Amino acid sequence: MPYIKKTVIAGKTVEIRKCNAPMYGRRGNRAEKKTVTPEKQRRVNEKKAVDILTWRLNENFGVGDVHMVIGYGRSKAPEPEEARKHLEEFLRRARKYFRGQGQELRYITVTEYKRTRIHHHVIMPEAPMRVLYKLWTHGRPHVTPLDESGDYRQLAEYLVKETSVTFAAGGPYKKRWNQSKNLRDPVIKTEIVSAKSW
């Protein structure tokens, strides 16, 4: 049986994985979803989502960038559709601010509202607090700088776990996260190797 050796180069990190490849190279159409995703498959899907988000974070963010949580303070929390519009307004203002600084806004956003008061997580370049208060007018931003390790798997695990119930429920957020179009893809190299040569 062949194995797949996958090498993922994302920012400062390099991951090498080996896995079985019984179906490698076979093509077929995916069947239409008819039943609820079983628990085991849900866990597999979440693990894959964590991997993809980790690589995306590692490739595009580092020191000088922040993880920001923005919510609604003591004011009445809006419905999810309205909160999405607030987030889009924030990103429009942020894009304009960074353009004025000669930079291009890079971001990943995640929204949680099923198990808690609705709030957004935003990973983006750092900006002064006085600017963030102008960009987000619905409450106080909570900002945490990213460390210099370049490995943000723990952050990815936290974001996927935080939003697992919200994502499963559907609603106005069709994806686990949203991102700017200017993010780079990690480099993923795939090789077929024999068990003997591994």
Side-chain angles (χ1 to χ4, degrees):
M1 178 193 299
Y3 286 84
I4 292 178
K5 176 186 175 184
K6 182 185 281 188
T7 305
V8 182
I9 304 168
K12 291 182 176 182
T13 64
V14 178
E15 285 187 38
I16 298 176
R17 295 186 177 183
K18 172 189 174 186
C19 57
N20 294 330
M23 301 293 288
Y24 187 80
R26 294 188 188 177
R27 293 180 177 238
N29 295 327
R30 184 173 176 155
E32 184 180 335
K33 184 175 179 179
K34 295 178 181 177
T35 60
V36 177
T37 304
E39 181 62 22
K40 187 176 180 182
Q41 185 60 49
R42 186 192 65 77
R43 288 197 300 271
V44 169
N45 293 345
E46 282 200 2
K47 187 176 184 300
K48 185 176 180 182
V50 167
D51 284 343
I52 293 170
L53 183 54
T54 297
W55 301 333
R56 187 77 51 190
L57 289 169
N58 291 354
E59 177 64 28
N60 292 280
F61 299 94
V63 172
D65 300 319
V66 296
H67 168 218
M68 183 167 58
V69 181
I70 48 179
Y72 291 89
R74 294 183 180 177
S75 60
K76 184 182 177 185
E79 292 299 312
E81 190 60 56
E82 187 181 0
R84 190 175 90 165
K85 290 177 182 174
H86 292 162
L87 180 60
E88 288 168 356
E89 288 169 9
F90 167 81
L91 293 172
R92 271 196 298 273
R93 293 189 192 113
R95 212 173 277 118
K96 185 177 179 181
Y97 166 76
F98 282 104
R99 200 178 295 128
Q101 302 299 307
Q103 299 178 51
E104 195 175 14
L105 175 65
R106 296 168 288 111
Y107 67 83
I108 288 178
T109 65
V110 170
T111 299
E112 167 63 8
Y113 64 90
K114 274 295 177 185
R115 294 184 291 195
T116 183
R117 189 173 170 82
I118 193 163
H119 62 280
H120 310 284
H121 297 264
V122 183
I123 294 89
M124 60 182 273
E126 190 175 31
M129 284 303 295
R130 59 182 173 75
V131 172
L132 294 177
Y133 275 105
K134 289 180 181 177
L135 298 179
W136 180 255
T137 58
H138 304 283
R140 183 175 66 179
H142 297 271
V143 179
T144 305
L146 298 186
D147 62 36
E148 61 185 14
S149 70
D151 184 3
Y152 306 115
R153 179 166 293 276
Q154 285 187 332
L155 176 58
E157 288 172 346
Y158 170 72
L159 293 175
V160 169
K161 183 180 177 183
E162 268 280 290
T163 58
S164 58
V165 176
T166 299
F167 173 71
Y173 302 94
K174 306 297 184 190
K175 302 175 183 176
R176 289 182 186 273
W177 66 83
N178 289 298
Q179 64 183 50
S180 56
K181 293 179 181 178
N182 58 351
L183 296 190
R184 300 182 304 272
D185 291 327
V187 175
I188 301 177
K189 300 176 182 177
T190 304
E191 304 170 60
I192 301 296
V193 294
S194 69
K196 292 179 181 178
S197 66
W198 178 258

